[in-house]
Amino acid sequence: MGLLTEGSPLTWEETKALAEHVRQHGIEQFINLYRKLRDRTGDVLKWGDEVEYIIVKFDDKNQRATVSLRAADILPELQKKELEDPENVKSLWRPEYGAYMIEGTPGKPYGGLLAHFNIVEANMKFRRAEASTLLKDGEVLMSITNFPRLGCPGFTSPPYQATPNEGVSWSNFFPDEAIYPGHPRFKTLTSNIRCRRGEKMEINLPIYRDKNTKIPVDNYHELEKGAAKPDCVYMDAMGMGMGCCCLQLTFQACCITEARTLYDQLAPLCPIMLALSAASPIYRGYLTDVDCRWNVISGSVDCRTREERGLEPLKNNKFRIQKSRYDSIDSYLSPEHEKYNDIPIVHDPSIYRRLREGGIDHPLAMHVAHLFIRDSVSLFSEKVNQDDANDTDHFENIQSTNWQTMRFKPPPPNSRIGWRVEFRPCEAQLTDFENAAYVCFVVLLTRVILSYRLNFVMPISKVDENMQRAQRRGACTQQKFWFRRDVRSPDVDVYAEMTIDEIVNGKDGIFPGLIPLIESYLSGMDVDADTHCSVQQYLKLIQRRASGEISTMATWMRQFVTSHPDYKKDSVVTEKINYDLLKMAHGIQTGTIPAPTLLGTSNVSKTNDDIPTAFKDCP
């Protein structure tokens, strides 16, 4: 979720009055940090994953499933080991937006050995088992992207009423009690984003139109005139988006140049991975015509005013801003990729000038000046006055609330951590095997990109177009995506529309395929038998998903609902259908129910808690 500062949160009016203070000091902090660390080299490859989980509670007697608001009870217990011995824990645990959510990461980052790929799934299994020991009867931990009936009456345990005219969310659907109560950041963000916008959040997902689907979907187009659309599933709160789960990766590069290269080269892969990991077709108890969470979260934190959205002439605001602060990136960072920045980069000219005076090159200065068109939406009184030579909280305040597909992360001050990039598009997968497969696939792509000096960069406008295509129903097998034809030659700018299958598995005479490129890379590497077996199983899952031989989670869920005996062909996911869906999903997650259409028949790896002794001392 970003920077978790302790302290006393300021109101929106207090935060707004300090917006320019935070901006100016944040820029000075970045300049000082950049000057100290721009020449830092020699950091080794490190990487790690973040998996977010939902605590689901099953009421078997009444055949209902709800989210359990017990994260604040569970997290302190999970964090005890880290507080007692931070250097030797196998897992780290952090709060997330929902009072029913927790986030787990490995205790230490993984390194450059191929053998590390064989630890990933084992660590994910350990995390899930560790957290599960703290659950009560009927509760289970599920790595699902969205709880299907989030926002429906009584979706929480204990149940709470939404309060559309008071509280922090002002939502028709999402009660404030469903926001994590253990840190003030979450409710502060919720209130301040809504106050800055000047009205409630506005999310409209097109309904999946089945034979008996009712249009209008409900009466919110009357209750919330001008906000809710009659043929859409309407949502109105930060929690409807930030209450979703995802799978993220962070990579440490050897230097700032390599970090910028990875940022640029991974950006065009974001929509591909979003479509390939699609796992959330159901919102507020309705089947929708989308497969992914991205635009839902984007709308849930869209703090732009009516002026900034172009609905009214600019009067009180400086900029017309094209995107939410949660969206795809707007520019590449490496100087050699500037020509592909073909959409206007809205930026603050005075901040840009100060960055240039501070020694920051043009593309990086544009990137930071673009991030800093945003106001701070969460500020703590204890953090207002800082030492710009040594602190970075004001910079991170704005940097960490620009939730984009990629994030470029400078080293923290006085730290052994290097320049990093964060890869943020993937949806959470149901099983540890799947999550490990997606993680290892993306990490292997970074190795291939750097080793073969591949070039995936293409005009940002095409990446943006791909992001919208990636979210459509059945996009993984039915949509085409712009992609670079020749990834080995940096000078041949030819793009073609390809299917995910063609991009991942290749097509003769058109594109070599991401997995064939990975296989070529692996063929020259020394790897132990167990790791080789696991990696092959992971790549096989990705290959089969891409080809359509097995389904994405989104397609699997859609098929489960539409073939359920209680389904009335009306796009409604009832309490019973939701219960049966999640019961089935949990059985698949635990391995007690086979799921050949989702996972195939070969989904067991040789994952292990440790790397082979023979490889431990390898550089």
Side-chain angles (χ1 to χ4, degrees):
M1 182 75 187
L3 181 71
L4 285 178
T5 300
E6 297 293 341
S8 310
L10 300 180
T11 65
W12 168 241
E13 289 305 319
E14 292 168 330
T15 302
K16 183 181 177 181
L18 289 163
E20 205 54 39
H21 172 89
V22 172
R23 247 193 298 275
Q24 297 304 325
H25 286 277
I27 290 302
E28 294 306 316
Q29 291 172 2
F30 178 74
I31 289 170
N32 290 330
L33 188 70
Y34 178 82
R35 283 172 174 165
K36 285 181 196 171
L37 298 170
R38 65 184 166 191
D39 297 324
R40 172 178 175 154
T41 58
D43 289 311
V44 297
L45 164 71
K46 287 183 179 175
W47 55 278
D49 66 86
E50 300 173 16
V51 183
E52 294 166 1
Y53 305 90
I54 290 176
I55 307 165
V56 173
K57 184 173 184 180
F58 289 118
D59 175 355
D60 293 332
K61 182 180 177 185
N62 295 302
Q63 298 196 308
R64 290 185 72 240
T66 51
V67 296
S68 180
L69 308 182
R70 289 215 314 116
D73 299 334
I74 290 168
L75 268 169
E77 291 298 314
L78 287 171
Q79 292 174 329
K80 275 184 181 175
K81 290 179 188 173
E82 179 188 353
L83 292 171
E84 291 164 3
D85 188 7
E87 294 300 312
N88 294 299
V89 287
K90 285 177 67 175
S91 59
L92 301 174
W93 294 95
R94 297 291 179 265
E96 255 305 330
Y97 182 89
Y100 50 87
M101 299 167 71
I102 54 175
E103 175 190 288
T105 65
K108 285 183 178 174
Y110 304 116
L113 295 178
L114 285 177
H116 283 133
F117 290 123
N118 209 32
I119 308 175
V120 177
E121 187 185 345
N123 188 272
M124 289 177 176
K125 287 174 182 284
F126 172 83
R127 278 178 254 164
R128 199 187 293 266
E130 182 182 35
S132 295
T133 61
L134 300 172
L135 301 178
K136 292 183 175 178
D137 284 351
E139 292 178 342
V140 297
L141 200 66
M142 298 189 73
S143 48
I144 50 175
T145 295
N146 183 45
F147 182 77
R149 286 182 57 84
L150 197 77
C152 294
F155 78 93
T156 64
S157 285
Y160 290 99
Q161 291 282 330
T163 52
N165 300 305
E166 61 182 8
V168 296
S169 294
W170 286 53
S171 174
N172 289 289
F173 314 112
F174 199 91
D176 288 349
E177 290 84 358
I179 303 170
Y180 181 73
H183 195 285
R185 168 181 165 90
F186 302 106
K187 286 186 177 177
T188 302
L189 273 173
T190 306
S191 178
N192 288 356
I193 284 174
R194 178 180 52 77
C195 289
R196 189 192 186 284
R197 179 182 170 89
E199 55 196 31
K200 289 200 292 192
M201 301 300 108
E202 185 182 310
I203 308 157
N204 285 284
L205 291 186
I207 190 82
Y208 168 69
R209 294 190 182 228
D210 209 337
K211 184 180 172 185
N212 300 321
T213 302
K214 284 197 306 182
I215 306 291
V217 173
D218 50 32
N219 66 341
Y220 281 103
H221 68 292
E222 294 286 347
L223 297 172
E224 300 286 353
K225 280 196 166 112
K229 296 178 181 177
D231 58 349
C232 290
V233 178
Y234 166 68
M235 293 170 279
D236 65 356
M238 183 171 172
M240 300 303 293
M242 281 297 189
C244 295
C245 295
C246 60
L247 171 69
Q248 296 175 353
L249 293 98
T250 301
F251 307 95
Q252 176 178 273
C254 72
C255 62
I256 187 172
T257 303
E258 185 176 276
R260 290 166 78 161
T261 297
L262 280 176
Y263 180 97
D264 291 359
Q265 297 298 343
L266 288 173
L269 291 164
C270 289
I272 309 308
M273 293 308 299
L274 180 61
L276 196 53
S277 65
S280 50
I282 306 169
Y283 290 88
R284 234 190 83 222
Y286 292 99
L287 273 177
T288 69
D289 223 27
V290 303
D291 274 4
C292 305
R293 79 199 186 287
W294 192 265
N295 283 351
V296 180
I297 310 185
S298 181
S300 79
V301 291
D302 189 356
C303 67
R304 293 175 300 160
T305 65
R306 293 183 67 81
E307 292 179 17
E308 289 168 334
R309 283 178 275 146
L311 300 175
E312 294 174 4
L314 284 174
K315 180 181 173 186
N316 300 310
N317 299 111
K318 284 194 205 173
F319 308 107
R320 164 85 172 91
I321 303 174
Q322 302 298 325
K323 297 178 182 177
S324 165
R325 62 198 302 154
Y326 191 113
D327 218 311
S328 50
I329 69 162
D330 278 338
S331 66
Y332 296 113
L333 299 185
S334 302
E336 63 269 27
H337 299 144
E338 275 187 66
K339 64 179 180 179
Y340 302 104
N341 293 334
D342 67 333
I343 61 173
I345 306 169
V346 182
H347 66 284
D348 188 317
S350 62
I351 284 177
Y352 171 77
R353 281 195 300 274
R354 177 67 196 108
L355 288 161
R356 296 292 277 137
E357 289 164 6
I360 315 294
D361 59 79
H362 169 68
L364 189 53
M366 285 292 278
H367 168 72
V368 175
H370 171 64
L371 297 183
F372 273 64
I373 61 174
R374 311 287 180 177
D375 285 341
S376 167
V377 281
S378 175
L379 191 59
F380 294 82
S381 58
E382 294 85 350
K383 290 289 184 178
V384 171
N385 297 306
Q386 298 179 20
D387 173 6
D388 291 347
N390 296 297
D391 293 334
T392 59
D393 268 26
H394 283 326
F395 170 73
E396 286 297 339
N397 184 303
I398 292 177
Q399 150 99 340
S400 71
T401 52
N402 274 273
W403 297 281
Q404 297 180 331
T405 41
M406 297 293 303
R407 185 178 280 153
F408 178 71
K409 302 174 80 167
N414 308 311
S415 164
R416 291 178 295 174
I417 298 170
W419 293 91
R420 293 150 296 148
V421 295
E422 195 174 354
F423 186 80
R424 303 171 46 80
C426 292
E427 307 238 297
Q429 302 298 292
L430 184 61
T431 66
D432 297 317
F433 175 82
E434 292 167 279
N435 283 317
Y438 280 79
V439 165
C440 292
F441 176 60
V442 176
V443 179
L444 281 166
L445 281 174
T446 66
R447 301 305 94 208
V448 173
I449 288 165
L450 295 174
S451 299
Y452 290 168
R453 298 188 178 180
L454 300 182
N455 184 19
F456 293 132
V457 174
M458 62 183 179
I460 284 279
S461 60
K462 287 187 168 11
V463 180
D464 277 357
E465 195 175 330
N466 283 350
M467 278 300 291
Q468 296 311 309
R469 294 181 185 188
Q471 299 172 68
R472 294 174 187 163
R473 172 166 51 94
C476 188
T477 54
Q478 294 170 27
Q479 289 292 319
K480 288 196 170 185
F481 298 86
W482 291 106
F483 213 72
R484 194 180 188 96
R485 287 257 327 242
D486 189 344
V487 295
R488 293 182 182 271
S489 172
D491 303 318
V492 182
D493 290 338
V494 179
Y495 318 102
E497 290 182 286
M498 306 182 208
T499 63
I500 297 282
D501 185 23
E502 289 165 349
I503 293 167
V504 170
N505 295 318
K507 184 176 181 182
D508 287 345
I510 301 292
F511 186 69
L514 299 178
I515 285 188
L517 286 166
I518 289 173
E519 295 281 17
S520 171
Y521 168 78
L522 289 172
S523 66
M525 307 297 286
D526 187 14
V527 59
D528 67 280
D530 282 357
T531 300
H532 180 266
C533 173
S534 294
V535 168
Q536 289 304 316
Q537 293 289 72
Y538 297 153
L539 294 181
K540 206 175 287 183
L541 177 89
I542 302 293
Q543 283 180 301
R544 288 172 174 169
R545 283 256 166 97
S547 71
E549 184 182 335
I550 56 176
S551 302
T552 61
M553 182 65 178
T555 296
W556 182 88
M557 290 173 77
R558 199 180 289 282
Q559 288 172 342
F560 181 94
V561 170
T562 54
S563 59
H564 192 282
D566 285 6
Y567 179 64
K568 304 285 193 285
K569 298 189 183 301
D570 56 0
S571 312
V572 175
V573 179
T574 63
E575 290 274 23
K576 176 69 164 78
I577 295 173
N578 182 58
Y579 171 83
D580 289 345
L581 170 67
L582 292 174
K583 270 288 187 182
M584 174 74 79
H586 184 250
I588 294 167
Q589 179 183 289
T590 55
T592 57
I593 298 175
T597 60
L598 178 68
L599 301 174
T601 53
S602 175
N603 52 38
V604 179
S605 69
K606 298 271 189 177
T607 189
N608 198 289
D609 278 327
D610 208 354
I611 58 177
T613 307
F615 287 87
K616 280 188 177 177
D617 299 322
C618 293

